[in-house]
Amino acid sequence: TEGHPDKVCDIISDSIVDAYLIQDPWSKVACEVMAYENMVVLCGYSHSDAMIDPEYIVRDVLQHLGFDDEAKGLDYRTCKVNINIHQSASPKMKDISLLPADDQAVVYGYATNETDECLMMPLPHQLATKLTLRLSHLRQKFAQQQLDDLNESEKLLAGMLRPSGKAQVTAEYEAIGKISRRVRITAVVLEAQHHPDIDLDELKNLLNKNVIAKVLPAEIISPNFQLFINGDGEYTHGGFRGGGLTGRKQNIDTYGGWCRMGGGAFSGKDYRKMDRSGAYAARWIAKSLVAAKLCDRCTVGLAYAIGHAKPLMITIDTEYTAALRGYTDTQLEDVVRNNFDLTAGGIIHSLGLQAPIYKKTAAGGHFGREGFSWEEPKKLVY
């Protein structure tokens, strides 16, 4: 959820990136955040003409997330905020077409048609994301006192919830030749931070009724389904004793482990970092190929070298599903080269990555959500 310690750090990092881009869209930014019990530390650099107030941004994010009590791990009013961001002037190169990659990177994007055409995400990962968003939705409704559309059971649960939480969904697949097909949901793990003065059994019942049952499609639940809710008992503090860090949830930010993993996390980095913009482009390509019905699922790989604009590698792996439609993976690589400008500047321009869009990506996943340019499939010529 957005209140998990690592996600809190991601949101703060991307809020800093956005703040610089709002004032100076040519800003270069790298911002890492660490959070501990009632303490937040920022470090990194910015090359920008913008003048921002990082401490105000930190406290504003924490307030919005509901961290208003040290018992929750952080209090936005009293927590220590340590700022270590070195700032210098904005870069002189201001022609997008000339921008090279700002660092080396190997990145991957994925898409599958096992879920609807808007999302094209692996079902277990999509459901896990929906569970965490459901937790956040109920908590925010209570915090904002917008309870009119909640029933009494939902209101009771919403009043118990605190910001942090986690979810995990396991699905069973079967092999049909070289192709796999999802069969049923076999297990769910759900952790929800809560107020200390509650009955745990009541909390579990309410979570099952108002979160699990609202998200999981009943028709695909296994007869041997296993449910684990707050398996370690009380979960009141929210994890800050273990600390939070920017960039520690890369699988959650992407596809839940359903494709190869790139070398770098996303949050806290501006659009020049190909760890981020290259991964967005790879998802855009994969989704475009699946949307064009050239394959049923697809992993796209891209590689970049610092100081160079063009990719060193373009790979396509459709897990044999392109062959079912009369294509080879090599043919799809040619389709990609003919339809996408995958230079660093081409990606930034095509996807509009100079805009301050990054805080919205930091929680809930960077992919499988509407409203982002890389989630809009491109019409391909082939």
Side-chain angles (χ1 to χ4, degrees), residues 38 94 268 301:
N38 223 36
K94 297 189 176 181

PDB file of all heavy atoms in Angstrom, residues 38 94 268 301:
ATOM      1  N   ASN A  38      10.050   7.990  13.141  1.00  0.00           N
ATOM      2  CA  ASN A  38       9.913   9.449  13.243  1.00  0.00           C
ATOM      3  C   ASN A  38      11.115  10.210  12.698  1.00  0.00           C
ATOM      4  O   ASN A  38      11.488  11.263  13.214  1.00  0.00           O
ATOM      5  CB  ASN A  38       9.619   9.886  14.683  1.00  0.00           C
ATOM      6  CG  ASN A  38       8.542  10.964  14.719  1.00  0.00           C
ATOM      7  OD1 ASN A  38       7.608  10.933  13.909  1.00  0.00           O
ATOM      8  ND2 ASN A  38       8.657  11.910  15.627  1.00  0.00           N
ATOM      9  N   LYS A  94      19.332  21.579 -24.087  1.00  0.00           N
ATOM     10  CA  LYS A  94      17.878  21.638 -23.984  1.00  0.00           C
ATOM     11  C   LYS A  94      17.206  21.337 -25.321  1.00  0.00           C
ATOM     12  O   LYS A  94      16.267  21.989 -25.732  1.00  0.00           O
ATOM     13  CB  LYS A  94      17.454  22.996 -23.422  1.00  0.00           C
ATOM     14  CG  LYS A  94      17.967  23.215 -21.996  1.00  0.00           C
ATOM     15  CD  LYS A  94      17.400  24.424 -21.314  1.00  0.00           C
ATOM     16  CE  LYS A  94      17.885  24.513 -19.883  1.00  0.00           C
ATOM     17  NZ  LYS A  94      17.328  25.670 -19.160  1.00  0.00           N
ATOM     18  N   GLY A 268      12.478   8.485  -7.763  1.00  0.00           N
ATOM     19  CA  GLY A 268      13.546   9.413  -7.429  1.00  0.00           C
ATOM     20  C   GLY A 268      14.442   9.767  -8.596  1.00  0.00           C
ATOM     21  O   GLY A 268      15.398  10.530  -8.431  1.00  0.00           O
ATOM     22  N   GLY A 301      12.983  -6.577 -24.177  1.00  0.00           N
ATOM     23  CA  GLY A 301      14.226  -6.177 -23.522  1.00  0.00           C
ATOM     24  C   GLY A 301      14.932  -5.083 -24.290  1.00  0.00           C
ATOM     25  O   GLY A 301      15.027  -5.135 -25.520  1.00  0.00           O
TER      26      GLY A 301
END
